[in-house]
Amino acid sequence: MPTKQRFVVTALICFGMATIMSLIGNLLATGWRAVTFQNWLIWWLPTVLAAFLYNWFVAYRITEYFIRRSTRRLTDPAAIAARTLGVRGRVMLVVMCLSMSTYGLLIGGAFLHIDWEILLWVWVRSLIIAFIIRGLIVKPAAFFLTRKILSTV
């Protein structure tokens, strides 16, 4: 994927996922109250920026490492392309979900005060929700908007 297209797709996916997942995380942590939306709005832009920067500089490199490891014995270009797509989607989702869930717990002040069992439950719950949100809403919307944005440029 060309750098310009990767930038647009990454920005749109990080915007969508950080917006939706942080709102869901706040709602699950504090319930449906006015203070929930105030806290979400305060941390919304820093969360989107942190997600984008982390994705662009860290998660992308981790994902590329796993792609290289999983395709090193393949010689067929079609098999390499197919495996690359699968690995990229799964690894990126897991890396971003675990790191951004931890980020949310850190900025919320809960990370140091919860048991490991609860932390694992939060990570699993976040991963399941992120998989559904990304597949049904964010990824299709991001690729649709990317085609619209880059076709007009």
Side-chain angles (χ1 to χ4, degrees):
M1 179 181 301
T3 304
K4 186 177 184 180
Q5 183 181 2
R6 184 170 78 91
F7 181 85
V8 172
V9 168
T10 301
L12 291 172
I13 288 178
C14 287
F15 176 82
M17 290 299 289
T19 299
I20 295 170
M21 291 301 292
S22 64
L23 182 59
I24 289 172
N26 277 326
L27 288 171
L28 290 173
T30 60
W32 194 271
R33 300 182 312 176
V35 70
T36 301
F37 294 103
Q38 290 172 342
N39 288 337
W40 175 73
L41 281 174
I42 290 169
W43 285 102
W44 173 71
L45 186 58
T47 300
V48 170
L49 289 173
F52 177 78
L53 293 173
Y54 184 79
N55 185 302
W56 192 262
F57 293 110
V58 179
Y60 177 76
R61 285 171 176 71
I62 293 169
T63 303
E64 290 299 312
Y65 167 77
F66 280 103
I67 289 170
R68 280 192 307 277
R69 283 194 47 91
S70 67
T71 59
R72 67 178 170 213
R73 291 192 177 100
L74 298 177
T75 57
D76 181 31
I80 291 172
R83 178 142 330 146
T84 296
L85 284 175
V87 170
R88 178 172 284 121
R90 288 188 297 271
V91 171
M92 187 65 77
L93 182 67
V94 170
V95 168
M96 288 300 292
C97 187
L98 293 179
S99 58
M100 293 308 293
S101 293
T102 305
Y103 171 81
L105 291 170
L106 282 172
I107 64 172
F111 188 76
L112 300 175
H113 306 291
I114 61 175
D115 296 332
W116 282 102
E117 297 87 15
I118 296 171
L119 179 62
L120 290 174
W121 169 245
V122 168
W123 280 341
V124 168
R125 180 189 69 189
S126 296
L127 188 60
I128 292 168
I129 293 170
F131 183 76
I132 294 167
I133 296 295
R134 184 194 68 165
L136 293 178
I137 300 169
V138 175
K139 195 172 179 182
F143 281 102
F144 173 77
L145 290 172
T146 300
R147 283 192 301 275
K148 291 290 185 189
I149 291 169
L150 294 180
S151 69
T152 59
V153 173

